[in-house]
Structures are given as structure tokens and as C-alpha cells.
mmCIF file of all heavy atoms in Angstrom:
data_model
loop_
_atom_site.group_PDB
_atom_site.id
_atom_site.type_symbol
_atom_site.label_atom_id
_atom_site.label_comp_id
_atom_site.label_asym_id
_atom_site.label_seq_id
_atom_site.Cartn_x
_atom_site.Cartn_y
_atom_site.Cartn_z
ATOM 1 N N LEU A 1 56.777 -34.866 -13.403
ATOM 2 C CA LEU A 1 56.149 -35.289 -14.644
ATOM 3 C C LEU A 1 56.590 -34.348 -15.746
ATOM 4 O O LEU A 1 56.158 -33.192 -15.787
ATOM 5 C CB LEU A 1 54.623 -35.294 -14.527
ATOM 6 C CG LEU A 1 53.883 -35.839 -15.748
ATOM 7 C CD1 LEU A 1 54.147 -37.335 -15.912
ATOM 8 C CD2 LEU A 1 52.387 -35.574 -15.642
ATOM 9 N N GLN A 2 57.464 -34.839 -16.618
ATOM 10 C CA GLN A 2 57.903 -34.079 -17.773
ATOM 11 C C GLN A 2 56.924 -34.327 -18.906
ATOM 12 O O GLN A 2 56.751 -35.466 -19.340
ATOM 13 C CB GLN A 2 59.318 -34.481 -18.185
ATOM 14 C CG GLN A 2 59.848 -33.754 -19.407
ATOM 15 C CD GLN A 2 60.051 -32.276 -19.166
ATOM 16 O OE1 GLN A 2 60.623 -31.889 -18.150
ATOM 17 N NE2 GLN A 2 59.586 -31.446 -20.089
ATOM 18 N N MET A 3 56.296 -33.282 -19.397
ATOM 19 C CA MET A 3 55.279 -33.383 -20.429
ATOM 20 C C MET A 3 55.781 -32.687 -21.688
ATOM 21 O O MET A 3 55.969 -31.468 -21.693
ATOM 22 C CB MET A 3 53.958 -32.763 -19.965
ATOM 23 C CG MET A 3 53.431 -33.352 -18.662
ATOM 24 S SD MET A 3 51.789 -32.734 -18.219
ATOM 25 C CE MET A 3 52.177 -31.003 -17.929
ATOM 26 N N ASN A 4 55.995 -33.460 -22.736
ATOM 27 C CA ASN A 4 56.449 -32.944 -24.018
ATOM 28 C C ASN A 4 55.386 -33.159 -25.082
ATOM 29 O O ASN A 4 54.481 -33.971 -24.926
ATOM 30 C CB ASN A 4 57.752 -33.627 -24.442
ATOM 31 C CG ASN A 4 58.892 -33.380 -23.487
ATOM 32 O OD1 ASN A 4 58.999 -32.317 -22.882
ATOM 33 N ND2 ASN A 4 59.774 -34.373 -23.348
ATOM 34 N N SER A 5 55.525 -32.436 -26.185
ATOM 35 C CA SER A 5 54.600 -32.562 -27.312
ATOM 36 C C SER A 5 53.154 -32.469 -26.854
ATOM 37 O O SER A 5 52.300 -33.280 -27.221
ATOM 38 C CB SER A 5 54.848 -33.879 -28.057
ATOM 39 O OG SER A 5 56.178 -33.966 -28.524
ATOM 40 N N LEU A 6 52.869 -31.470 -26.064
ATOM 41 C CA LEU A 6 51.542 -31.333 -25.474
ATOM 42 C C LEU A 6 50.481 -31.069 -26.536
ATOM 43 O O LEU A 6 50.724 -30.376 -27.531
ATOM 44 C CB LEU A 6 51.541 -30.213 -24.441
ATOM 45 C CG LEU A 6 52.198 -30.584 -23.105
ATOM 46 C CD1 LEU A 6 52.536 -29.343 -22.301
ATOM 47 C CD2 LEU A 6 51.270 -31.495 -22.300
ATOM 48 N N LYS A 7 49.310 -31.634 -26.301
ATOM 49 C CA LYS A 7 48.169 -31.517 -27.197
ATOM 50 C C LYS A 7 47.011 -30.838 -26.470
ATOM 51 O O LYS A 7 46.940 -30.880 -25.245
ATOM 52 C CB LYS A 7 47.729 -32.900 -27.673
ATOM 53 C CG LYS A 7 48.813 -33.719 -28.348
ATOM 54 C CD LYS A 7 48.312 -35.118 -28.675
ATOM 55 C CE LYS A 7 49.389 -35.954 -29.331
ATOM 56 N NZ LYS A 7 48.909 -37.325 -29.647
ATOM 57 N N PRO A 8 46.092 -30.229 -27.216
ATOM 58 C CA PRO A 8 44.932 -29.622 -26.561
ATOM 59 C C PRO A 8 44.158 -30.588 -25.674
ATOM 60 O O PRO A 8 43.617 -30.169 -24.642
ATOM 61 C CB PRO A 8 44.080 -29.136 -27.743
ATOM 62 C CG PRO A 8 45.076 -28.862 -28.813
ATOM 63 C CD PRO A 8 46.126 -29.933 -28.655
ATOM 64 N N GLU A 9 44.109 -31.854 -26.051
ATOM 65 C CA GLU A 9 43.387 -32.834 -25.249
ATOM 66 C C GLU A 9 44.077 -33.156 -23.927
ATOM 67 O O GLU A 9 43.516 -33.868 -23.094
ATOM 68 C CB GLU A 9 43.148 -34.127 -26.040
ATOM 69 C CG GLU A 9 44.395 -34.679 -26.696
ATOM 70 C CD GLU A 9 44.512 -34.284 -28.155
ATOM 71 O OE1 GLU A 9 44.262 -33.103 -28.476
ATOM 72 O OE2 GLU A 9 44.846 -35.157 -28.986
ATOM 73 N N ASP A 10 45.287 -32.657 -23.728
ATOM 74 C CA ASP A 10 45.956 -32.787 -22.440
ATOM 75 C C ASP A 10 45.465 -31.762 -21.426
ATOM 76 O O ASP A 10 45.837 -31.832 -20.247
ATOM 77 C CB ASP A 10 47.472 -32.647 -22.595
ATOM 78 C CG ASP A 10 48.083 -33.774 -23.403
ATOM 79 O OD1 ASP A 10 47.685 -34.939 -23.212
ATOM 80 O OD2 ASP A 10 48.975 -33.488 -24.233
ATOM 81 N N THR A 11 44.666 -30.814 -21.868
ATOM 82 C CA THR A 11 44.155 -29.784 -20.975
ATOM 83 C C THR A 11 43.305 -30.407 -19.874
ATOM 84 O O THR A 11 42.350 -31.122 -20.147
ATOM 85 C CB THR A 11 43.332 -28.754 -21.758
ATOM 86 O OG1 THR A 11 44.170 -28.087 -22.699
ATOM 87 C CG2 THR A 11 42.721 -27.725 -20.818
ATOM 88 N N ALA A 12 43.665 -30.127 -18.632
ATOM 89 C CA ALA A 12 42.972 -30.697 -17.485
ATOM 90 C C ALA A 12 43.583 -30.140 -16.213
ATOM 91 O O ALA A 12 44.609 -29.462 -16.245
ATOM 92 C CB ALA A 12 43.071 -32.225 -17.483
ATOM 93 N N VAL A 13 42.937 -30.435 -15.098
ATOM 94 C CA VAL A 13 43.545 -30.212 -13.803
ATOM 95 C C VAL A 13 44.319 -31.470 -13.446
ATOM 96 O O VAL A 13 43.765 -32.571 -13.462
ATOM 97 C CB VAL A 13 42.503 -29.895 -12.719
ATOM 98 C CG1 VAL A 13 43.173 -29.737 -11.357
ATOM 99 C CG2 VAL A 13 41.731 -28.633 -13.076
ATOM 100 N N TYR A 14 45.583 -31.310 -13.128
ATOM 101 C CA TYR A 14 46.445 -32.431 -12.809
ATOM 102 C C TYR A 14 46.631 -32.522 -11.302
ATOM 103 O O TYR A 14 46.967 -31.534 -10.643
ATOM 104 C CB TYR A 14 47.804 -32.279 -13.497
ATOM 105 C CG TYR A 14 47.754 -32.591 -14.970
ATOM 106 C CD1 TYR A 14 47.085 -31.753 -15.852
ATOM 107 C CD2 TYR A 14 48.368 -33.739 -15.481
ATOM 108 C CE1 TYR A 14 47.018 -32.044 -17.203
ATOM 109 C CE2 TYR A 14 48.314 -34.030 -16.831
ATOM 110 C CZ TYR A 14 47.640 -33.183 -17.684
ATOM 111 O OH TYR A 14 47.583 -33.470 -19.031
ATOM 112 N N TYR A 15 46.422 -33.722 -10.757
ATOM 113 C CA TYR A 15 46.488 -33.962 -9.327
ATOM 114 C C TYR A 15 47.625 -34.919 -8.998
ATOM 115 O O TYR A 15 47.752 -35.975 -9.627
ATOM 116 C CB TYR A 15 45.180 -34.563 -8.808
ATOM 117 C CG TYR A 15 43.971 -33.671 -8.965
ATOM 118 C CD1 TYR A 15 43.177 -33.744 -10.097
ATOM 119 C CD2 TYR A 15 43.621 -32.765 -7.969
ATOM 120 C CE1 TYR A 15 42.069 -32.935 -10.244
ATOM 121 C CE2 TYR A 15 42.516 -31.955 -8.108
ATOM 122 C CZ TYR A 15 41.740 -32.044 -9.243
ATOM 123 O OH TYR A 15 40.631 -31.241 -9.383
ATOM 124 N N CYS A 16 48.399 -34.564 -8.006
ATOM 125 C CA CYS A 16 49.437 -35.441 -7.496
ATOM 126 C C CYS A 16 48.840 -36.395 -6.475
ATOM 127 O O CYS A 16 47.969 -36.014 -5.682
ATOM 128 C CB CYS A 16 50.550 -34.613 -6.858
ATOM 129 S SG CYS A 16 51.888 -35.586 -6.134
ATOM 130 N N ASN A 17 49.304 -37.625 -6.498
ATOM 131 C CA ASN A 17 48.856 -38.645 -5.555
ATOM 132 C C ASN A 17 50.054 -39.324 -4.916
ATOM 133 O O ASN A 17 51.054 -39.595 -5.580
ATOM 134 C CB ASN A 17 47.993 -39.687 -6.267
ATOM 135 C CG ASN A 17 47.742 -40.920 -5.412
ATOM 136 O OD1 ASN A 17 48.462 -41.911 -5.500
ATOM 137 N ND2 ASN A 17 46.710 -40.850 -4.577
ATOM 138 N N ALA A 18 49.940 -39.594 -3.623
ATOM 139 C CA ALA A 18 50.955 -40.354 -2.910
ATOM 140 C C ALA A 18 50.284 -41.466 -2.132
ATOM 141 O O ALA A 18 49.357 -41.217 -1.360
ATOM 142 C CB ALA A 18 51.759 -39.462 -1.971
ATOM 143 N N ASN A 19 50.733 -42.675 -2.350
ATOM 144 C CA ASN A 19 50.259 -43.836 -1.601
ATOM 145 C C ASN A 19 51.263 -44.099 -0.496
ATOM 146 O O ASN A 19 52.378 -44.544 -0.750
ATOM 147 C CB ASN A 19 50.106 -45.037 -2.534
ATOM 148 C CG ASN A 19 49.510 -46.237 -1.846
ATOM 149 O OD1 ASN A 19 50.185 -47.231 -1.600
ATOM 150 N ND2 ASN A 19 48.224 -46.159 -1.525
ATOM 151 N N VAL A 20 50.846 -43.808 0.741
ATOM 152 C CA VAL A 20 51.760 -43.776 1.876
ATOM 153 C C VAL A 20 51.478 -44.941 2.819
ATOM 154 O O VAL A 20 50.319 -45.242 3.123
ATOM 155 C CB VAL A 20 51.634 -42.452 2.641
ATOM 156 C CG1 VAL A 20 52.564 -42.426 3.846
ATOM 157 C CG2 VAL A 20 51.941 -41.288 1.713
ATOM 158 N N ILE A 21 52.532 -45.568 3.278
ATOM 159 C CA ILE A 21 52.406 -46.651 4.253
ATOM 160 C C ILE A 21 52.089 -46.079 5.629
ATOM 161 O O ILE A 21 52.723 -45.129 6.087
ATOM 162 C CB ILE A 21 53.698 -47.487 4.310
ATOM 163 C CG1 ILE A 21 53.929 -48.200 2.980
ATOM 164 C CG2 ILE A 21 53.630 -48.497 5.447
ATOM 165 C CD1 ILE A 21 55.241 -48.953 2.915
ATOM 166 N N VAL A 22 51.095 -46.660 6.303
ATOM 167 C CA VAL A 22 50.759 -46.326 7.679
ATOM 168 C C VAL A 22 51.405 -47.378 8.568
ATOM 169 O O VAL A 22 50.958 -48.524 8.583
ATOM 170 C CB VAL A 22 49.245 -46.286 7.903
ATOM 171 C CG1 VAL A 22 48.939 -45.886 9.340
ATOM 172 C CG2 VAL A 22 48.590 -45.325 6.933
ATOM 173 N N PRO A 23 52.435 -47.025 9.318
ATOM 174 C CA PRO A 23 53.259 -48.059 9.986
ATOM 175 C C PRO A 23 52.526 -48.871 11.040
ATOM 176 O O PRO A 23 52.706 -50.084 11.110
ATOM 177 C CB PRO A 23 54.406 -47.247 10.599
ATOM 178 C CG PRO A 23 53.871 -45.860 10.731
ATOM 179 C CD PRO A 23 52.961 -45.674 9.556
ATOM 180 N N ILE A 24 51.715 -48.233 11.886
ATOM 181 C CA ILE A 24 51.074 -48.963 12.977
ATOM 182 C C ILE A 24 50.020 -49.930 12.445
ATOM 183 O O ILE A 24 49.913 -51.072 12.909
ATOM 184 C CB ILE A 24 50.450 -47.984 13.994
ATOM 185 C CG1 ILE A 24 51.541 -47.140 14.647
ATOM 186 C CG2 ILE A 24 49.663 -48.750 15.053
ATOM 187 C CD1 ILE A 24 51.013 -46.103 15.609
ATOM 188 N N LEU A 25 49.249 -49.489 11.494
ATOM 189 C CA LEU A 25 48.175 -50.301 10.941
ATOM 190 C C LEU A 25 48.664 -51.236 9.843
ATOM 191 O O LEU A 25 47.893 -52.092 9.397
ATOM 192 C CB LEU A 25 47.070 -49.406 10.392
ATOM 193 C CG LEU A 25 46.391 -48.486 11.400
ATOM 194 C CD1 LEU A 25 45.329 -47.639 10.708
ATOM 195 C CD2 LEU A 25 45.759 -49.283 12.529
ATOM 196 N N THR A 26 49.899 -51.069 9.414
ATOM 197 C CA THR A 26 50.470 -51.856 8.324
ATOM 198 C C THR A 26 49.547 -51.867 7.112
ATOM 199 O O THR A 26 49.280 -52.914 6.510
ATOM 200 C CB THR A 26 50.804 -53.292 8.769
ATOM 201 O OG1 THR A 26 49.611 -53.976 9.164
ATOM 202 C CG2 THR A 26 51.798 -53.278 9.920
ATOM 203 N N THR A 27 49.062 -50.702 6.774
ATOM 204 C CA THR A 27 48.234 -50.538 5.596
ATOM 205 C C THR A 27 48.709 -49.282 4.867
ATOM 206 O O THR A 27 49.781 -48.756 5.164
ATOM 207 C CB THR A 27 46.748 -50.441 5.982
ATOM 208 O OG1 THR A 27 45.945 -50.388 4.806
ATOM 209 C CG2 THR A 27 46.493 -49.201 6.837
ATOM 210 N N THR A 28 47.940 -48.807 3.903
ATOM 211 C CA THR A 28 48.316 -47.631 3.135
ATOM 212 C C THR A 28 47.177 -46.627 3.097
ATOM 213 O O THR A 28 46.016 -46.966 3.358
ATOM 214 C CB THR A 28 48.720 -47.989 1.695
ATOM 215 O OG1 THR A 28 47.611 -48.594 1.026
ATOM 216 C CG2 THR A 28 49.904 -48.946 1.694
ATOM 217 N N HIS A 29 47.522 -45.392 2.764
ATOM 218 C CA HIS A 29 46.542 -44.332 2.640
ATOM 219 C C HIS A 29 46.940 -43.423 1.496
ATOM 220 O O HIS A 29 48.118 -43.115 1.317
ATOM 221 C CB HIS A 29 46.444 -43.529 3.944
ATOM 222 C CG HIS A 29 45.335 -42.539 3.962
ATOM 223 N ND1 HIS A 29 45.467 -41.270 3.431
ATOM 224 C CD2 HIS A 29 44.073 -42.614 4.430
ATOM 225 C CE1 HIS A 29 44.337 -40.616 3.574
ATOM 226 N NE2 HIS A 29 43.477 -41.408 4.183
ATOM 227 N N ASP A 30 45.954 -43.010 0.719
ATOM 228 C CA ASP A 30 46.193 -42.126 -0.416
ATOM 229 C C ASP A 30 45.999 -40.667 -0.027
ATOM 230 O O ASP A 30 44.993 -40.297 0.585
ATOM 231 C CB ASP A 30 45.257 -42.465 -1.574
ATOM 232 C CG ASP A 30 45.682 -43.713 -2.315
ATOM 233 O OD1 ASP A 30 46.847 -43.776 -2.753
ATOM 234 O OD2 ASP A 30 44.843 -44.627 -2.460
ATOM 235 N N TYR A 31 46.969 -39.834 -0.399
ATOM 236 C CA TYR A 31 46.887 -38.393 -0.219
ATOM 237 C C TYR A 31 46.896 -37.726 -1.581
ATOM 238 O O TYR A 31 47.503 -38.230 -2.538
ATOM 239 C CB TYR A 31 48.051 -37.878 0.622
ATOM 240 C CG TYR A 31 48.000 -38.323 2.064
ATOM 241 C CD1 TYR A 31 48.587 -39.516 2.463
ATOM 242 C CD2 TYR A 31 47.356 -37.550 3.030
ATOM 243 C CE1 TYR A 31 48.531 -39.931 3.785
ATOM 244 C CE2 TYR A 31 47.305 -37.960 4.349
ATOM 245 C CZ TYR A 31 47.894 -39.153 4.718
ATOM 246 O OH TYR A 31 47.837 -39.558 6.038
ATOM 247 N N TRP A 32 46.236 -36.566 -1.643
ATOM 248 C CA TRP A 32 46.071 -35.861 -2.900
ATOM 249 C C TRP A 32 46.468 -34.401 -2.780
ATOM 250 O O TRP A 32 46.228 -33.755 -1.760
ATOM 251 C CB TRP A 32 44.609 -35.924 -3.370
ATOM 252 C CG TRP A 32 44.149 -37.314 -3.667
ATOM 253 C CD1 TRP A 32 43.579 -38.197 -2.801
ATOM 254 C CD2 TRP A 32 44.224 -37.986 -4.929
ATOM 255 N NE1 TRP A 32 43.291 -39.382 -3.454
ATOM 256 C CE2 TRP A 32 43.674 -39.274 -4.749
ATOM 257 C CE3 TRP A 32 44.695 -37.616 -6.189
ATOM 258 C CZ2 TRP A 32 43.590 -40.195 -5.798
ATOM 259 C CZ3 TRP A 32 44.617 -38.524 -7.222
ATOM 260 C CH2 TRP A 32 44.062 -39.798 -7.021
ATOM 261 N N GLY A 33 47.072 -33.888 -3.836
ATOM 262 C CA GLY A 33 47.310 -32.469 -3.925
ATOM 263 C C GLY A 33 46.052 -31.732 -4.329
ATOM 264 O O GLY A 33 45.031 -32.333 -4.679
ATOM 265 N N GLN A 34 46.102 -30.408 -4.281
ATOM 266 C CA GLN A 34 44.943 -29.595 -4.623
ATOM 267 C C GLN A 34 44.709 -29.503 -6.121
ATOM 268 O O GLN A 34 43.624 -29.119 -6.552
ATOM 269 C CB GLN A 34 45.085 -28.196 -4.036
ATOM 270 C CG GLN A 34 45.015 -28.152 -2.514
ATOM 271 C CD GLN A 34 45.030 -26.741 -1.974
ATOM 272 O OE1 GLN A 34 45.312 -25.786 -2.695
ATOM 273 N NE2 GLN A 34 44.721 -26.600 -0.694
ATOM 274 N N GLY A 35 45.695 -29.840 -6.911
ATOM 275 C CA GLY A 35 45.574 -29.802 -8.350
ATOM 276 C C GLY A 35 46.207 -28.562 -8.946
ATOM 277 O O GLY A 35 46.230 -27.500 -8.328
ATOM 278 N N THR A 36 46.718 -28.704 -10.152
ATOM 279 C CA THR A 36 47.293 -27.586 -10.886
ATOM 280 C C THR A 36 46.767 -27.618 -12.316
ATOM 281 O O THR A 36 46.715 -28.672 -12.946
ATOM 282 C CB THR A 36 48.835 -27.624 -10.853
ATOM 283 O OG1 THR A 36 49.363 -26.478 -11.519
ATOM 284 C CG2 THR A 36 49.382 -28.891 -11.497
ATOM 285 N N GLN A 37 46.364 -26.465 -12.821
ATOM 286 C CA GLN A 37 45.752 -26.378 -14.137
ATOM 287 C C GLN A 37 46.802 -26.406 -15.231
ATOM 288 O O GLN A 37 47.780 -25.654 -15.195
ATOM 289 C CB GLN A 37 44.924 -25.095 -14.258
ATOM 290 C CG GLN A 37 44.287 -24.883 -15.623
ATOM 291 C CD GLN A 37 43.159 -25.858 -15.892
ATOM 292 O OE1 GLN A 37 42.289 -26.058 -15.044
ATOM 293 N NE2 GLN A 37 43.166 -26.472 -17.068
ATOM 294 N N VAL A 38 46.590 -27.273 -16.207
ATOM 295 C CA VAL A 38 47.403 -27.316 -17.420
ATOM 296 C C VAL A 38 46.488 -27.025 -18.596
ATOM 297 O O VAL A 38 45.505 -27.736 -18.809
ATOM 298 C CB VAL A 38 48.090 -28.676 -17.605
ATOM 299 C CG1 VAL A 38 48.771 -28.751 -18.970
ATOM 300 C CG2 VAL A 38 49.098 -28.914 -16.491
ATOM 301 N N THR A 39 46.797 -25.984 -19.343
ATOM 302 C CA THR A 39 46.005 -25.600 -20.499
ATOM 303 C C THR A 39 46.897 -25.569 -21.725
ATOM 304 O O THR A 39 47.922 -24.885 -21.737
ATOM 305 C CB THR A 39 45.354 -24.224 -20.293
ATOM 306 O OG1 THR A 39 44.528 -24.250 -19.125
ATOM 307 C CG2 THR A 39 44.498 -23.856 -21.493
ATOM 308 N N VAL A 40 46.503 -26.303 -22.757
ATOM 309 C CA VAL A 40 47.245 -26.369 -24.010
ATOM 310 C C VAL A 40 46.362 -25.757 -25.089
ATOM 311 O O VAL A 40 45.341 -26.333 -25.466
ATOM 312 C CB VAL A 40 47.630 -27.805 -24.376
ATOM 313 C CG1 VAL A 40 48.498 -27.809 -25.628
ATOM 314 C CG2 VAL A 40 48.351 -28.470 -23.212
ATOM 315 N N SER A 41 46.756 -24.605 -25.580
ATOM 316 C CA SER A 41 45.927 -23.869 -26.527
ATOM 317 C C SER A 41 46.780 -22.926 -27.346
ATOM 318 O O SER A 41 47.811 -22.426 -26.889
ATOM 319 C CB SER A 41 44.840 -23.078 -25.791
ATOM 320 O OG SER A 41 44.076 -22.289 -26.690
#
């Protein structure tokens, strides 16, 4: 995620998400990162 022209309102914890296919069940599952802090000030 390339973030340009950042604003103070962009300040937040940003979380990565991956929607992964589960082969046996032929469905999907969401995984999440722990988050990374972005502060614009």
C-alpha cells in the first residue's frame, strides 16, 4: 500500500487482510495481521 499526500485523518492502526481459499472445504477464510501504527502529524 503506497500512501502519498498523507493527512492527519489517515492516522490509524492499519491491518493487513488475506482472504484465503480452503481447498478441502472449498470455502474461504480471512486472516489478519497484528496491525501497524501510522501517525500523520
Side-chain angles (χ1 to χ4, degrees):
L1 185 67
Q2 179 66 47
M3 304 186 295
N4 298 326
S5 302
L6 284 163
K7 304 175 181 180
E9 50 263 44
D10 295 318
T11 297
V13 177
Y14 284 69
Y15 297 91
C16 178
N17 168 266
N19 185 251
V20 179
I21 295 175
V22 182
I24 296 177
L25 299 179
T26 62
T27 185
T28 61
H29 188 275
D30 284 306
Y31 292 89
W32 296 89
Q34 292 185 348
T36 183
Q37 178 71 47
V38 172
T39 302
V40 185
S41 176

